[in-house]
C-alpha cells in the first residue's frame, strides 16, 4: 500500500482546497424584449428562442 513519504503541509492543503469557486451563469440579452436571459434557453419574459415564439402566454 502506498504511504506518503512526508506529511503535506497545512498551507499546501489549504491552498489546493481554496480553488473551489462559484461562477456566474452565462447571461445574454434577448433580441426580442432586450431582457437578460440564460444562454441557449427560452426567454422567460417573452417566450422566444432563436427568433421563434416557443411559449405562448395566456
Amino acid at each position: 500500500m502506498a504511504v506518503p513519504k512526508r506529511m503535506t503541509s497545512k498551507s499546501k492543503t489549504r491552498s489546493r482546497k481554496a480553488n473551489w469557486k462559484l461562477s456566474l451563469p452565462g447571461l445574454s440579452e434577448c433580441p426580442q424584449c432586450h431582457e437578460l436571459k440564460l444562454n441557449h434557453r427560452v426567454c422567460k419574459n417573452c417566450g422566444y428562442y432563436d427568433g421563434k415564439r416557443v411559449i405562448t402566454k395566456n
Side-chain angles (χ1 to χ4, degrees), residues 3 6 18 25-26 54-55 58:
V3 178
R6 287 180 207 92
V54 179
I55 299 172
N58 292 341

Side-chain angles (χ1 to χ4, degrees), residues 31-53:
Q32 301 292 327
C33 64
H34 305 290
E35 291 284 323
L36 286 179
K37 68 174 192 69
L38 288 171
N39 291 336
H40 306 288
R41 291 190 177 61
V42 176
C43 177
K44 291 183 178 181
N45 189 39
C46 64
Y48 273 79
Y49 180 75
D50 198 23
K52 301 174 195 118
R53 184 135 200 156

Side-chain angles (χ1 to χ4, degrees), residues 4-35:
K5 207 156 208 152
R6 287 180 207 92
M7 183 175 89
T8 308
S9 67
K10 291 175 188 169
S11 65
K12 185 78 169 170
T13 304
R14 289 174 183 165
S15 70
R16 185 175 62 242
K17 291 183 177 187
N19 286 318
W20 288 89
K21 298 177 193 83
L22 291 175
S23 60
L24 293 173
L27 296 174
S28 62
E29 184 180 325
C30 176
Q32 301 292 327
C33 64
H34 305 290
E35 291 284 323

